[in-house]
Amino acid sequence: MARLFGTDGVRGLANAEITAPFALRLGEAAARVLTGKNISHRPRAIIGRDTRQSSGMLSHALAAGLASAGVDVEHVREIPTPGVAYLTAEEDYDLGVVISASHNPFQDNGIKFINGDGFKLDDAIEDEIEALLGKDWDRPTGAGVGAISESAAVSDRLYMDHLIDCGRDLHGLRIALDCANGAASDVAPRVFQKLGADVVVINAAPDGKNINDSCGSTHPGQLQALTVATGADFGFAFDGDADRCLAVDHAGNLVDGDQIMGMLAVAMKREGQLKRNTLVLTVMSNLGLHLAMRDRGIKTVSTKVGDRYVLEEMLAHGYNLGGEQSGHVINLDRATTGDGTLTAVSVASEVAKQGRKLAEMVEFVQRLPQTLINVPNVDKTKTEYVEREVAQAEAELGETGRVLLRASGTEPLIRVMVEAQTQEEADRIARSLADTVREKLSL
């Protein structure tokens, strides 16, 4: 049987796979694991959510499950995932919960847990929660039942103040923002305005159904056009729960997570802040970033895909900067998880500090041509059935490129990624492998 938790919590179709009764049972199980850790006080949990129509239903059901097991719960309504992580650690909660499916379409939703230190739960603890799901137990009564309250205003201000403290004066810069009609819609524009930027904003009017709808970091076209049309110096696009961001330069060119990480790594090394002189990446990062870092005397370490695995490597070996090409960037000196708004503030502040164009500051990361094809409706547990074709493609590319075939940890599909010396070659090999996956692994 497949594991309940993926690389970023539990996700599925809201009210079909991720239902209110399921959320309640998951809250009960999480609380039972939490209260079984011999803590000496009444446990407290904080729940935040994104702007999906189903997020309110699921957050209240989850809260009911936690409270039924003796946990006091505070709601903070719509807030980025990293905001919940920050508040969990700073305000001494024992558990943080986020109701969100990140970059997925609005019909999906998910639940992810954060420990008292602000980090995502270890696999072992998630397995404990899964093992208790739906099992009989003795519920507390009377004063043993947890309380549920709201604390949106104070929590929102604390998180925003943290982001502002991480930035510098941005007066004189015009910055475009695409908030994906998600959790960044309120906080990101306010942070950049407080820092003095002239802010141009789109997709910051969530209606419960328009989150990630042809906008945000997974669809940056609107931001690219806006940045050019308004004469902005650069722009940022967030995803639904605002734990990632991509950038756009003044000419409308996309600046991906690899380029952002390369820029920040060089800046941190220059200031003596890059611990162990190392940048942590995933296997999805472009070879061009590895080469750019090597040329600047910065080491790179690769992990499997998923920001949780980047974080595990960072914590295990004392690194402080890492992330993913998709825009998850983790700076452990300032956050415990990827934070799209924090990343945007860091990039903008570095541009302001150097007084150069963003395009100039990232041009040293020369990306090899790369093609990524998502193949849905296939059995993602049987990738070994196409190993021969992958080996043939790798032999054809030699040392001038690479192939990565991986099952998504958050969606029912297989990702085929090819890097090559030319875009034509990358496209051709990726299409051929995608066709093979469809043929051999179709459901």
Side-chain angles (χ1 to χ4, degrees):
M1 188 172 115
R3 187 171 183 268
L4 176 66
F5 289 89
T7 56
D8 199 18
V10 183
R11 286 192 199 172
L13 183 60
N15 217 31
E17 298 164 318
I18 308 297
T19 65
F22 170 78
L24 187 143
R25 293 194 302 271
L26 194 63
E28 289 178 344
R32 291 172 65 192
V33 171
L34 177 64
T35 55
K37 299 300 182 184
N38 297 318
I39 57 178
S40 59
H41 58 275
R42 187 181 182 93
R44 300 167 61 235
I46 183 172
I47 300 179
R49 62 182 189 254
D50 68 15
T51 58
R52 290 164 214 271
Q53 188 162 295
S54 60
S55 289
M57 170 189 73
L58 294 174
S59 66
H60 284 86
L62 198 289
L66 290 169
S68 74
V71 177
D72 288 339
V73 181
E74 292 187 46
H75 280 288
V76 288
R77 301 183 185 178
E78 289 83 9
I79 187 171
T81 288
V84 176
Y86 174 77
L87 293 170
T88 301
E90 285 295 308
E91 297 299 297
D92 295 325
Y93 290 97
D94 301 287
L95 183 70
V97 189
V98 181
I99 310 297
S100 175
S102 189
H103 59 280
N104 286 27
F106 97 94
Q107 297 94 333
D108 290 346
N109 218 322
I111 300 168
K112 43 191 165 185
F113 294 107
I114 296 166
N115 69 23
D117 295 321
F119 297 106
K120 293 176 182 177
L121 294 187
D122 294 336
D123 288 352
I125 297 179
E126 289 181 340
D127 290 341
E128 286 185 54
I129 294 172
E130 183 173 352
L132 290 178
L133 193 63
K135 296 288 180 64
D136 290 336
W137 59 294
D138 294 325
R139 291 174 171 81
T141 58
V145 176
I148 300 176
S149 60
E150 304 265 349
S151 61
V154 173
S155 298
D156 179 72
R157 186 171 64 250
L158 288 172
Y159 175 55
M160 191 176 75
D161 287 347
H162 161 66
L163 294 171
I164 293 169
D165 287 344
C166 291
R168 63 184 295 135
D169 188 350
L170 301 179
H171 280 89
L173 289 175
R174 172 171 286 182
I175 301 175
L177 300 177
D178 181 345
C179 297
N181 292 310
S185 295
D186 180 50
V187 67
R190 287 200 289 155
V191 165
F192 280 96
Q193 288 163 357
K194 288 285 187 180
L195 288 170
D198 176 12
V199 182
V200 184
V201 184
I202 55 171
N203 299 312
D207 63 7
K209 298 179 286 294
N210 59 3
I211 185 172
N212 299 321
D213 186 9
S214 300
C215 60
S217 62
T218 53
H219 300 88
Q222 286 192 53
L223 177 67
Q224 291 172 292
L226 177 73
T227 302
V228 174
T230 61
D233 294 283
F234 47 86
F236 299 105
F238 308 102
D239 66 336
D241 70 334
D243 63 353
R244 69 169 78 174
C245 88
L246 298 180
V248 170
D249 70 18
H250 71 286
N253 299 307
L254 188 65
V255 177
D256 69 9
D258 282 349
Q259 295 165 298
I260 289 172
M261 288 188 292
M263 169 190 164
L264 294 178
V266 168
M268 290 173 67
K269 180 181 179 180
R270 184 175 60 248
E271 299 295 325
Q273 298 173 352
L274 186 63
K275 292 182 180 177
R276 303 194 65 182
N277 198 37
T278 298
L279 174 63
V280 182
L281 311 169
T282 77
V283 293
M284 290 293 285
S285 277
N286 194 280
L287 284 174
L289 176 58
H290 291 272
L291 297 174
M293 293 296 93
R294 183 195 65 188
D295 291 346
R296 281 153 183 77
I298 296 174
K299 302 173 187 175
T300 56
V301 174
S302 294
T303 75
K304 58 184 178 180
V305 175
D307 62 306
R308 68 185 299 126
Y309 303 115
V310 173
L311 178 61
E312 286 176 3
E313 182 72 15
M314 294 170 70
L315 292 173
H317 300 285
Y319 307 130
N320 64 341
L321 184 65
E324 298 186 281
Q325 185 186 71
S326 60
H328 279 112
V329 178
I330 305 171
N331 182 342
L332 282 181
D333 293 339
R334 294 178 168 179
T336 56
T337 187
D339 188 328
T341 310
L342 175 60
T343 299
V345 166
S346 300
V347 170
S349 295
E350 190 61 29
V351 171
K353 180 179 180 179
Q354 294 197 31
R356 300 165 59 200
K357 291 186 178 298
L358 176 61
E360 298 171 357
M361 296 171 65
V362 300
E363 64 183 355
F364 73 96
V365 180
Q366 295 294 318
R367 302 176 71 254
L368 291 180
Q370 183 185 86
T371 301
L372 175 64
I373 300 177
N374 293 328
V375 186
N377 304 316
V378 292
D379 188 342
K380 65 181 185 179
T381 68
K382 297 181 178 179
T383 54
E384 70 273 11
Y385 288 11
V386 294
E387 285 179 353
R388 181 172 64 87
E389 288 81 3
V390 171
Q392 289 174 345
E394 290 174 332
E396 180 180 349
L397 289 166
E399 296 182 355
T400 63
R402 64 180 180 132
V403 174
L404 180 65
L405 192 79
R406 60 173 289 268
S408 170
T410 58
E411 299 176 79
L413 51 82
I414 287 177
R415 306 189 196 280
V416 178
M417 190 270 280
V418 176
E419 289 174 351
Q421 282 189 312
T422 67
Q423 191 64 57
E424 181 181 10
E425 185 178 25
D427 290 344
R428 175 179 58 81
I429 294 175
R431 284 195 298 266
S432 176
L433 285 174
D435 288 342
T436 300
V437 169
R438 290 189 193 96
E439 178 185 345
K440 292 193 172 185
L441 304 183
S442 61
L443 293 172

